[in-house]
Every structure is written in structure tokens, then in C-alpha cells.
Amino acid sequence: MTEEIANGNGHGTSFKVDGRTIPPLGLTGQQFINAATNAVQEIEKYYSMIEDRPVLPSISPGYLQKLLPSHAPQDGEPWQDIANDIEAKIMPGVTHWQHPKYMAFFSASSTYPGILGEMWSAALTAPAFNWICSPVVTELETVVLDWLAQILALPKVFMSSGQGGGVIQGSASEAIVTCMIAARERSVRRQLECEGVTDEQASEDRACEIRSKLVALGSEQSHSSTKKGAVIAGTRYRSIATARKDDYALTGTGLRAKLQELTAKGLQPYYLTVTLGSTNTCAVDDFTSIADVAKDYPDLWIHCDAAWAGAALVLPEYQHLSAQLSFVDSFDMNMHKWLLTNFDASCLYVQKRKDLTDALSVTPAYLKNQFTDSGLVTDYRDWQIPLGRRFRALKVWFVLRTWGVSGLQQHIGHHINLGKMFADLVRSRDDLFTTFTPPAYALTVFTVNARRRQSPSLGEASSNGAHRRPDQDSLVAIAPESRDGDLAAANEATNAVYNIIDERREFFLTSTIIDGVFAIRVVSANPLAEEKYIRQIFDQLVQAAEQTLDKTS
């Protein structure tokens, strides 16, 4: 309520305007220093002792509703009471993605420089929908994404100095949807220009007809976000088959066959996702043969989804892949997965930024300003679907400056080596396990054999008399064309081993099904990953496999 007080000039009364009892920023300056100091200390303690926590929570769905009141507090609570609830109420429901025993999905990095970047981003908060909102938000993003493009050895067409450039999106899925919308509108615009349709109403009607024929494409191994993107874009989606003989990579032959099939039906393919590191097996599509096909389909927007494995391009030994990417219209990788930056930081690059702005630029009167009108600044709102955006470039800047290029290379190289070590361990017990596809980008995908087998020594002749090289697997992976009984037995054994590990809840792994084959995925690649945990999970897998196969022998 306002308070009536005597007016200082003696003429009647006035009212006390500010009757707030809580400090304007929630805490006083000193209270904030104390609270923040305590929070930083607790966060450091969390990370330094994270291995003492179980990687997975042991709660049931709905646990938190039982711990929290059914309505917000009427009056503010002391900060210490709020802080105490982090451990009491929040931590019981946390899956610890930074735990060294977390080996599921792909990692989601968190580091101290990234955390500090988030703190400063929160302090300097702005929706940043155009340059004038806070110029540094835009300008730092342009700079750090050019830095990253150079680190990844991307073709120069993706640099901001030309017609392209980079923009930070919330996720690789968001990047796919953004590019798909741009691809759709580019395809429609080109068709209208080709037909010479200029009347506004006629253009709108014809555009709807064109959109009804558009088809987005991805391989069977493309991330599900491509199919979801097509739903959002309101177009058809078709997947292209991949084969184990190609390590589940999309090939130019498969792509051309699908394109010819669709065009013969009167449909118009307008978008394709190619993958550098698929979710199931880290497959890399055959860029060379796909690029040859793309020459015959200049209106097909090709997007490279490198959400996970794109981080490996920091290493020179993977940059031959970077050199092949000049045929794609867009490229995206997630720094928040493997490159030490807290979620979210998905880095999208396009060859022609005008393709994005033509599709996504809407400038009502209240967004107009002299800087935008001058054409001399970048307004990233026109490179994305949302209007507002966070100061995400700050944490990227902190990370790149803290590690430097050599530090990033050491980080990725460490995890590549851990992945190779685990794959070698799996191969060393080929009486129990079979690698399903070649290990790649720190990921190993393997199955449990249908029955325990004899493990021949290196160089020993195989059953058909041919001598096996030391670098070859001694056992052929379970293939879909295997006898149904063998495949069913192997799937049952693999599933049983996976369930044993899962029920123990000491390590967190994930499984997948590819071509009817049930397989286990292991990828240890968060910043705290160590060799000893690789060896521990392997020992547990061996124990579980022996236990399972002994029952069936």
C-alpha cells in the first residue's frame, strides 16, 4: 500500500511511491556476494566430489511434487532456506551428466569457464533481438564463430567476411528446423522466379501449390529432428536406406535413386540432412559421392549435422572431412556436447546468410532503427526462428581463450584415445563380444555373442582357411542376414547384459537397435572421463556377459 506523508513544501500531502520490502535485485550487494561465494564453493565441491554420488537418481516420477508446496510462498523466504533446498530437493532428481561413470547418449559438457560465462551472461541479460539491443552480444558472436570456423578448418565460404557466417542456435535440432524453413522458402522463391509469377495473390497461391510437392530427406540414420523438422515445415519427409556394408553411411548411389524416385512421382526434393557422426554408430556419410549427385540438383539444400563428431574437426587428422564440406549449404556442431561449453551452444554456419534472412526476416515498425536500416550491422533475429536470444557467445569466448586450440585438441584427443582403448578391450574378449560397427569418435557399439566362442590368437587362420590380419576383428559382427535363431539369441544375450548393468545403476549406458540388432553403446567423453572408469565398466560387462552366457551354455 502507498503511505500518505507530509509534502516537504508544506502544500498538502504526497504518497510514498516505493513500498517494496524486498531489495530491488532480490538481495543486497553484500548478501549477493555472500550467497554467490557460497554457491561457487558448493559448485566446486559438487564437481570435486561428483564421483561419490550415484550417476543416476533413485527416485520415482512425481517425487518433487511431494516435497514442494502446492503453491508459491506468499512472502519471500530467506536465501539460505532456498540454497539449502538445492541439496535436499534438487540433487535427488539429478542425472549427473558430468559424472565419470556417465557413458550414455553423448556427453553434455560443463566447465568452470563455461559456468562463469553463464554468470556474466545472466548479469548482462538482454533479449538481443537486434544489434542496438546490446551491440557486443552480436559482435562477439560473429567474432567467436569465425574463430571456431578456423579451428574446425571449415571452408572459407562459412566465414562472415564473405556471404556466409555463423550463428549460435539452441540445439542442432533447432538448427535443422531453421535451415529447413530457409530451404523451403528458397525452393519456392526459385520456382516462382523460374515461372515468372509476380502478382502478389497469384504468387501466394502458387507458393502453396509448390510447398505441397516439397519433400525433405534424410538417411535412416539421420537424427529424428530431421523428420520432426519436416513436420514443423509442413512438408513431406522420406528416409533413404543405409546398409551395414557401408557402415550405415548414406551414399551417393542411394541418394540419387531416391531423388529419381521422388521426381518421377512429381515431387520436389528440397532439403537433405547429411551426417558427420550419426547418433546410433557415429557413421559419416559418403560426402564425396553425395557431392557428385548434388551437382545435378542445385536447388537441393544440403545441411551437415555434425552435432557430436564435428568437435573432432579440431584435430588435423580429421580435417580432411572439413575440406569436403564446400558442397553443403549449412553445417552445425554443438560446442555444448563435446567442446567444453555449457548448454546451450549449437553453432550453425551457412554459405549464404541471405538464404536465412530472406526466409526469416520480418521487421515491424517497433523493431526499426537507424543501424538496422543502414545495412551495416547483423541482426541475428533474422538468422533464427525466435525473436530474442541470449548472450551465449560470452561462454564460448571464455572457453576458447581458456583452452586455446592446443587445449581443445588435447581434450578431444584424450577421449578418442579412451574410446580406442575401450574398443581394444572389447576386441580382446571376442569370445564374449563383437563390435557392431567400427568404433569412431570415442563411441563403441557392440553386441554380446549368441554363445561363448573360442578366441583364436592373432594371425591364426579363420574357419575358411584365410589368415586374419592383426588389425581385423576375429569375429564378424552380427548382421541382419544372420540366421534368425542366432540373431534372436544374440539380441537376448545383449539385452540381458545391458539390463544387468542398468539395474546396478553404477554406470549409465544406453542401447540402440539397428537393422533389428540390439546393441550397447559406450562413450566416455565428458571432461572428467578417465581410464580407470573405462576399465571398471569393461570388467562389469565381462562379468555380466559370462553370467548370461553361462546360463545358456
Side-chain angles (χ1 to χ4, degrees):
M1 295 177 63
T2 57
E3 178 184 348
E4 191 173 306
I5 58 176
N7 193 312
N9 61 17
H11 299 290
T13 60
S14 64
F15 294 92
K16 181 180 179 182
V17 175
D18 193 344
R20 295 176 293 178
T21 59
I22 304 295
L25 295 179
L27 302 171
T28 66
Q30 188 58 52
Q31 287 174 330
F32 174 68
I33 290 172
N34 295 339
T37 299
N38 179 258
V40 168
Q41 290 172 342
E42 289 298 314
I43 290 170
E44 191 284 327
K45 179 181 177 181
Y46 166 74
Y47 278 93
S48 64
M49 302 182 67
I50 194 170
E51 64 186 76
D52 295 335
R53 296 177 182 269
V55 62
L56 288 163
S58 297
I59 47 86
S60 299
Y63 90 98
L64 195 56
Q65 287 185 329
K66 300 173 184 177
L67 298 179
L68 298 182
S70 59
H71 52 79
Q74 181 63 35
D75 298 309
E77 300 176 7
W79 176 256
Q80 192 56 52
D81 290 353
I82 300 170
N84 291 341
D85 278 345
I86 293 291
E87 189 63 46
K89 297 182 173 62
I90 301 303
M91 284 298 182
V94 171
T95 296
H96 301 284
W97 283 60
Q98 308 313 312
H99 200 294
K101 293 183 178 180
Y102 178 96
M103 301 178 185
F105 304 111
F106 289 121
S107 65
S109 296
S110 179
T111 60
Y112 293 145
I115 292 170
L116 292 173
E118 289 283 13
M119 288 176 63
W120 271 108
S121 176
L124 303 175
T125 191
F129 43 81
N130 58 24
W131 181 86
I132 195 59
C133 284
S134 194
V136 71
V137 176
T138 295
E139 299 205 3
L140 185 61
E141 187 159 334
T142 301
V143 169
V144 297
L145 285 179
D146 277 349
W147 284 7
L148 181 62
Q150 295 172 58
I151 293 170
L152 301 177
L154 295 181
K156 290 184 178 180
V157 291
F158 292 111
M159 299 283 288
S160 66
S161 55
Q163 299 181 55
V167 58
I168 301 177
Q169 304 279 346
S171 68
S173 301
E174 186 179 327
I176 284 175
V177 173
T178 300
C179 290
M180 198 175 288
I181 296 296
R184 183 194 68 189
E185 294 309 293
R186 187 183 75 172
S187 184
V188 170
R189 188 168 58 252
R190 288 180 176 180
Q191 185 68 23
L192 291 175
E193 291 172 354
C194 182
E195 296 175 3
V197 182
T198 56
D199 177 76
E200 183 176 352
Q201 184 171 340
S203 294
E204 183 178 353
D205 291 342
R206 179 60 181 138
C208 290
E209 293 173 356
I210 295 171
R211 291 189 187 103
S212 72
K213 299 292 185 180
L214 296 180
V215 185
L217 299 170
S219 83
E220 289 178 336
Q221 302 304 315
S222 296
H223 192 270
S224 59
S225 54
T226 298
K227 183 176 183 178
K228 186 173 183 177
V231 172
I232 295 170
T235 66
R236 290 175 171 85
Y237 174 76
R238 296 291 184 270
S239 65
I240 306 170
T242 57
R244 185 175 173 276
K245 66 181 177 61
D246 301 314
D247 293 327
Y248 296 103
L250 176 65
T251 65
T253 301
L255 172 61
R256 188 181 293 279
K258 179 61 69 172
L259 291 171
Q260 291 174 343
E261 172 193 327
L262 293 171
T263 53
K265 295 178 179 178
L267 300 175
Q268 184 175 336
Y270 75 103
Y271 170 94
L272 167 69
T273 292
V274 297
T275 304
L276 197 169
S278 64
T279 301
N280 276 330
T281 65
C282 268
V284 177
D285 290 340
D286 184 357
F287 295 155
T288 301
S289 65
I290 293 172
D292 286 340
V293 175
K295 295 173 184 176
D296 298 330
Y297 295 86
D299 292 333
L300 181 67
W301 182 301
I302 301 180
H303 173 75
C304 179
D305 178 12
W308 168 254
L313 299 181
V314 303
L315 294 171
E317 54 264 42
Y318 290 96
Q319 290 178 354
H320 65 282
L321 294 170
S322 306
Q324 298 176 37
L325 292 172
S326 58
F327 78 98
V328 303
D329 295 271
S330 52
F331 169 90
D332 183 81
M333 61 81 61
N334 288 342
M335 284 195 73
H336 62 241
K337 274 191 168 74
W338 200 5
L339 216 51
L340 300 162
T341 307
N342 297 54
F343 190 86
D344 53 349
S346 188
C347 302
L348 170 65
Y349 292 89
V350 291
Q351 285 208 26
K352 295 183 179 179
R353 52 184 176 266
K354 192 173 184 295
D355 288 334
L356 291 182
T357 58
D358 282 351
L360 300 170
S361 180
V362 177
T363 308
Y366 52 80
L367 292 180
K368 288 182 178 293
N369 62 84
Q370 61 176 318
F371 302 102
T372 295
D373 292 343
S374 73
L376 298 177
V377 301
T378 296
D379 287 338
Y380 277 126
R381 74 170 189 272
D382 297 331
W383 296 43
Q384 61 178 30
I385 293 172
L387 176 66
R389 54 206 327 279
R390 300 193 306 115
F391 196 180
R392 292 175 287 209
L394 201 56
K395 61 191 174 188
V396 175
W397 191 48
F398 284 9
V399 166
L400 294 182
R401 293 183 66 188
T402 299
W403 270 270
V405 176
S406 62
L408 298 178
Q409 292 172 338
Q410 292 167 12
H411 165 73
I412 297 297
H414 171 61
H415 293 138
I416 295 288
N417 289 336
L418 288 180
K420 289 178 178 177
M421 187 192 80
F422 181 78
D424 286 342
L425 290 171
V426 170
R427 292 188 182 103
S428 73
R429 290 304 306 267
D430 55 11
D431 57 321
L432 301 175
F433 306 116
T434 298
T435 54
F436 182 68
T437 52
Y441 304 100
L443 172 68
T444 301
V445 183
F446 64 98
T447 59
V448 179
N449 298 332
R451 60 192 63 83
R452 190 190 293 268
R453 297 179 182 179
Q454 198 73 23
S455 182
S457 59
L458 289 177
E460 183 178 322
S462 62
S463 58
N464 63 7
H467 281 268
R468 180 172 45 82
R469 297 194 316 268
D471 61 336
Q472 289 180 317
D473 286 340
S474 61
L475 296 174
V476 176
I478 301 164
E481 60 270 17
S482 298
R483 290 180 299 172
D484 291 343
D486 288 346
L487 177 58
N491 282 350
E492 184 178 348
T494 307
N495 195 9
V497 169
Y498 173 77
N499 286 332
I500 290 172
I501 301 299
D502 194 50
E503 288 168 6
R504 289 175 182 168
R505 306 181 75 79
E506 183 180 350
F507 286 84
F508 187 20
L509 310 181
T510 45
S511 62
T512 190
I513 298 177
I514 313 161
D515 265 352
V517 177
F518 186 97
I520 299 172
R521 301 170 72 261
V522 172
V523 54
S524 180
N526 67 39
L528 299 178
E530 293 183 46
E531 177 181 341
K532 67 179 181 180
Y533 300 107
I534 292 290
R535 294 190 180 279
Q536 287 176 16
I537 185 57
F538 179 71
D539 289 344
Q540 290 199 19
L541 286 163
V542 167
Q543 181 186 49
E546 290 178 335
Q547 174 185 331
T548 298
L549 295 182
D550 285 347
K551 289 181 180 179
T552 60
S553 59

